Amino acid sequence: MKTADLIDALAAGSTPTPPIPVARRIAAAALLGAALALVLLVAWLGLRPLGEAARTGSFWMKAGYTLILSLAGAMGVGRLARPGAGLGRAPLIVAAAIAGMAILGAIEIAAAPSADRGDLWLGHTWQSCSLHILALAAPVYLGVAWALRRLAPTRLTLAGAAAGLLAGAVGATVYGLYCDETAAAFVFAWYTLGIGACAAIGGFLGRRLLRW
């Protein structure tokens, strides 16, 4: 019997895992990873003055974007932790969030003088932003992957990508506590790149780390 046939047979005879314990395991792993990412951020880059930042719209714009993507990633991981499941509505949420940020960025650039448009999407940290998100996502991904290995995913690449999306979005949320970039165009370009890279790497690693 081929490995794929064996997995299908096992999945066909299995009882669906109750969603609440699955959600609890994934949430606990993601929160632990987020706590480690925050410790890493404080030790590595530090925090911006959060009281002042919280009074700005850009702070909440970034936080809202990354938290929505975190929710989509968590939804995808929660579904794919069970045999034979798909992503559900997670891709629609991701597409809507990215499209919304793209529209905000386009409006922002269109309204700016032509001489300032490059600065809006490059900012002053474009070379490091996505790399910082990747680094901060690492402990989150490892925690979520550990939780998934104790569950029953069968679509390993897709589950790994969803875990990478969740990790990247959580890492980006944590990074927002340091990042002082304010432009929606910047967030669309470099936050999205960092989170997307996490999803791609997560999918690549998923076939190896999530094998059971």
Side-chain angles (χ1 to χ4, degrees), residues 74-110:
M75 290 173 60
V77 173
R79 290 181 58 84
L80 291 164
R82 294 183 285 273
L87 283 168
R89 297 182 180 178
L92 294 177
I93 296 173
V94 171
I98 293 175
M101 189 58 65
I103 291 170
L104 286 177
I107 292 172
E108 187 178 61
I109 287 176

Side-chain angles (χ1 to χ4, degrees), residues 6-208:
L6 176 60
I7 290 175
D8 290 340
L10 290 171
S14 63
T15 301
T17 305
I20 292 178
V22 170
R24 285 176 179 168
R25 286 189 182 184
I26 294 168
L31 288 173
L32 177 59
L36 293 174
L38 180 59
V39 171
L40 176 60
L41 176 75
V42 172
W44 180 24
L45 301 172
L47 298 174
R48 60 189 296 198
L50 294 179
E52 178 182 340
R55 292 193 291 270
T56 65
S58 63
F59 178 85
W60 296 109
M61 174 265 294
K62 287 188 288 188
Y65 181 58
T66 57
L67 287 173
I68 289 171
L69 293 178
S70 298
L71 174 63
M75 290 173 60
V77 173
R79 290 181 58 84
L80 291 164
R82 294 183 285 273
L87 283 168
R89 297 182 180 178
L92 294 177
I93 296 173
V94 171
I98 293 175
M101 189 58 65
I103 291 170
L104 286 177
I107 292 172
E108 187 178 61
I109 287 176
S114 58
D116 297 336
R117 290 174 182 172
D119 291 338
L120 285 175
W121 75 275
L122 289 176
H124 59 274
T125 60
W126 70 273
Q127 293 176 307
S128 59
C129 174
S130 299
L131 295 175
H132 286 155
I133 289 172
L134 277 167
L136 294 170
V140 186
Y141 182 81
L142 292 175
V144 174
W146 177 83
L148 276 173
R149 281 182 59 86
R150 301 173 67 84
L151 296 168
T154 54
R155 305 176 70 180
L156 303 186
T157 299
L158 204 54
L165 171 64
L166 172 57
V170 171
T173 303
V174 173
Y175 179 63
L177 301 177
Y178 161 80
C179 176
D180 60 358
E181 301 284 0
T182 60
F186 179 93
V187 175
F188 168 70
W190 307 108
Y191 274 59
T192 305
L193 177 62
I195 296 169
C198 290
I201 294 170
F204 175 77
L205 294 176
R207 292 194 62 84
R208 294 155 180 80

